Amino acid sequence: MTPQQISDAELAGQPAAYWTGVAYEALIAFTRAQQVAKGYTQPQFWLLRNLSENDISPDGEGMTLPELREAMTSYIRPEDDLAAEAAVLLERGWLTQDAEDRLWLTEEGEQARVDLARNAPAIRAALHEGIADADYVTTVKVLQQLIRNAGGTVA
Protein backbone atom coordinates (compact mmCIF):
# COMPACT_ATOMS: atom_id res chain seq x y z
CA MET A 1 0.00 0.00 0.00
CA THR A 2 1.45 3.38 -0.99
CA PRO A 3 1.27 6.34 1.41
CA GLN A 4 -1.46 7.88 -0.76
CA GLN A 5 -3.62 4.77 -0.20
CA ILE A 6 -3.38 4.83 3.60
CA SER A 7 -6.62 6.00 5.16
CA ASP A 8 -6.76 8.75 7.75
CA ALA A 9 -7.75 6.14 10.34
CA GLU A 10 -4.66 4.06 9.50
CA LEU A 11 -2.43 7.13 9.60
CA ALA A 12 -3.85 8.07 13.00
CA GLY A 13 -2.65 4.73 14.34
CA GLN A 14 0.90 5.01 13.06
CA PRO A 15 3.73 5.89 15.44
CA ALA A 16 4.64 9.57 15.52
CA ALA A 17 8.26 8.69 16.33
CA TYR A 18 8.61 6.90 13.01
CA TRP A 19 7.26 9.83 10.99
CA THR A 20 9.17 12.48 12.93
CA GLY A 21 12.37 10.48 12.40
CA VAL A 22 11.75 10.14 8.67
CA ALA A 23 10.88 13.82 8.44
CA TYR A 24 13.98 14.86 10.42
CA GLU A 25 16.35 12.88 8.20
CA ALA A 26 14.72 14.11 4.98
CA LEU A 27 14.68 17.76 6.09
CA ILE A 28 18.30 17.69 7.25
CA ALA A 29 19.45 15.95 4.06
CA PHE A 30 17.59 18.45 1.89
CA THR A 31 18.86 21.48 3.82
CA ARG A 32 22.45 20.24 3.81
CA ALA A 33 22.35 19.47 0.08
CA GLN A 34 21.08 22.97 -0.65
CA GLN A 35 23.85 24.48 1.45
CA VAL A 36 26.57 22.35 -0.15
CA ALA A 37 25.29 23.45 -3.56
CA LYS A 38 25.96 27.03 -2.39
CA GLY A 39 29.52 26.18 -1.28
CA TYR A 40 29.26 25.67 2.47
CA THR A 41 28.11 23.13 5.02
CA GLN A 42 25.56 23.38 7.79
CA PRO A 43 28.24 22.92 10.50
CA GLN A 44 30.31 25.71 8.93
CA PHE A 45 27.31 28.01 9.08
CA TRP A 46 26.70 27.01 12.71
CA LEU A 47 30.32 27.82 13.58
CA LEU A 48 29.95 31.29 12.07
CA ARG A 49 26.64 31.84 13.87
CA ASN A 50 27.97 30.68 17.25
CA LEU A 51 30.95 33.03 16.99
CA SER A 52 29.02 36.09 15.82
CA GLU A 53 27.95 38.65 18.39
CA ASN A 54 25.26 39.58 15.84
CA ASP A 55 23.75 36.12 16.00
CA ILE A 56 24.03 33.33 18.62
CA SER A 57 27.16 34.42 20.53
CA PRO A 58 26.20 36.55 23.53
CA ASP A 59 29.46 38.49 23.50
CA GLY A 60 31.36 37.77 20.28
CA GLU A 61 34.19 36.23 22.28
CA GLY A 62 36.18 33.45 20.73
CA MET A 63 35.49 29.84 21.65
CA THR A 64 37.44 26.60 21.59
CA LEU A 65 36.19 23.62 19.60
CA PRO A 66 35.04 21.83 22.79
CA GLU A 67 33.13 24.97 23.81
CA LEU A 68 31.55 25.20 20.36
CA ARG A 69 30.67 21.50 20.42
CA GLU A 70 28.98 22.03 23.80
CA ALA A 71 27.11 25.08 22.52
CA MET A 72 25.83 23.05 19.56
CA THR A 73 25.04 19.89 21.50
CA SER A 74 21.29 20.03 20.82
CA TYR A 75 21.68 20.12 17.02
CA ILE A 76 25.10 18.87 15.99
CA ARG A 77 25.06 15.45 14.33
CA PRO A 78 27.45 12.61 15.21
CA GLU A 79 29.08 12.75 11.77
CA ASP A 80 29.85 16.48 12.05
CA ASP A 81 33.60 17.06 12.38
CA LEU A 82 33.90 20.57 13.78
CA ALA A 83 37.71 20.52 13.61
CA ALA A 84 37.63 19.80 9.86
CA GLU A 85 34.84 22.33 9.29
CA ALA A 86 36.73 25.00 11.26
CA ALA A 87 39.88 24.25 9.25
CA VAL A 88 38.01 25.13 6.05
CA LEU A 89 36.80 28.40 7.59
CA LEU A 90 40.32 29.22 8.80
CA GLU A 91 41.63 28.61 5.29
CA ARG A 92 38.96 30.89 3.81
CA GLY A 93 39.92 33.62 6.28
CA TRP A 94 36.48 33.58 7.91
CA LEU A 95 37.95 32.53 11.26
CA THR A 96 41.22 33.06 13.07
CA GLN A 97 42.67 31.03 15.93
CA ASP A 98 44.62 32.39 18.87
CA ALA A 99 47.36 30.81 21.01
CA GLU A 100 44.73 29.34 23.37
CA ASP A 101 43.01 27.58 20.41
CA ARG A 102 40.03 29.92 20.58
CA LEU A 103 38.35 30.52 17.25
CA TRP A 104 37.35 34.06 16.37
CA LEU A 105 35.10 35.36 13.63
CA THR A 106 36.81 37.73 11.18
CA GLU A 107 35.13 40.62 9.39
CA GLU A 108 35.09 38.44 6.26
CA GLY A 109 33.51 35.65 8.30
CA GLU A 110 30.80 37.96 9.59
CA GLN A 111 30.03 39.08 6.05
CA ALA A 112 29.95 35.44 4.94
CA ARG A 113 27.51 34.63 7.78
CA VAL A 114 25.22 37.43 6.62
CA ASP A 115 25.49 36.32 2.98
CA LEU A 116 24.90 32.65 3.78
CA ALA A 117 21.88 33.46 5.95
CA ARG A 118 20.22 34.86 2.84
CA ASN A 119 19.87 31.28 1.56
CA ALA A 120 17.54 30.26 4.40
CA PRO A 121 14.30 31.79 3.01
CA ALA A 122 14.64 29.89 -0.29
CA ILE A 123 15.33 26.62 1.55
CA ARG A 124 12.32 27.22 3.79
CA ALA A 125 10.12 28.10 0.81
CA ALA A 126 11.07 24.88 -0.98
CA LEU A 127 10.33 22.80 2.11
CA HIS A 128 7.02 24.57 2.77
CA GLU A 129 5.78 24.37 -0.82
CA GLY A 130 2.15 23.24 -0.86
CA ILE A 131 1.76 23.65 2.91
CA ALA A 132 -0.48 26.41 4.21
CA ASP A 133 0.95 28.38 7.14
CA ALA A 134 -2.09 27.38 9.23
CA ASP A 135 -1.39 23.68 8.56
CA TYR A 136 2.27 24.15 9.46
CA VAL A 137 1.33 25.90 12.72
CA THR A 138 -1.10 23.08 13.56
CA THR A 139 1.62 20.51 12.87
CA VAL A 140 4.11 22.28 15.12
CA LYS A 141 1.51 22.58 17.91
CA VAL A 142 0.73 18.87 17.62
CA LEU A 143 4.45 18.05 17.79
CA GLN A 144 4.83 20.29 20.84
CA GLN A 145 1.97 18.47 22.55
CA LEU A 146 3.51 15.09 21.70
CA ILE A 147 6.76 16.31 23.25
CA ARG A 148 4.96 17.42 26.42
CA ASN A 149 3.02 14.12 26.55
CA ALA A 150 6.33 12.28 26.38
CA GLY A 151 7.65 14.28 29.33
CA GLY A 152 9.84 16.53 27.23
CA THR A 153 10.21 20.28 27.40
CA VAL A 154 9.08 22.62 24.66
CA ALA A 155 11.44 25.56 24.42
Side-chain angles (χ1 to χ4, degrees), residues 1-139:
M1 189 177 282
T2 66
Q4 292 79 14
Q5 296 171 324
I6 297 174
S7 71
D8 287 356
E10 290 171 313
L11 280 174
Q14 292 189 348
Y18 169 76
W19 288 109
T20 57
V22 171
Y24 174 78
E25 292 301 329
L27 296 171
I28 293 297
F30 179 86
T31 299
R32 287 182 173 213
Q34 297 299 304
Q35 291 171 325
V36 166
K38 297 285 188 182
Y40 66 101
T41 66
Q42 191 172 50
Q44 289 168 0
F45 185 53
W46 289 337
L47 286 166
L48 297 174
R49 292 191 67 204
N50 275 274
L51 292 168
S52 173
E53 66 185 335
N54 299 309
D55 201 337
I56 296 175
S57 174
D59 55 17
E61 291 298 312
M63 297 172 76
T64 64
L65 283 173
E67 290 169 337
L68 285 159
R69 196 171 290 108
E70 177 64 27
M72 297 181 205
T73 193
S74 67
Y75 50 88
I76 195 168
R77 294 177 57 97
E79 67 269 23
D80 293 339
D81 182 346
L82 289 186
E85 301 290 359
V88 172
L89 299 179
L90 286 162
E91 186 175 303
R92 289 181 182 172
W94 295 356
L95 299 180
T96 59
Q97 192 167 30
D98 65 20
E100 287 83 40
D101 289 330
R102 297 179 76 74
L103 295 167
W104 296 83
L105 190 62
T106 64
E107 286 183 33
E108 294 83 4
E110 176 61 17
Q111 185 58 55
R113 182 196 64 79
V114 169
D115 293 343
L116 298 178
R118 292 188 181 117
N119 295 316
I123 294 170
R124 182 193 186 281
L127 290 171
H128 286 241
E129 185 176 336
I131 302 169
D133 284 347
D135 290 339
Y136 179 77
V137 169
T138 298
T139 300

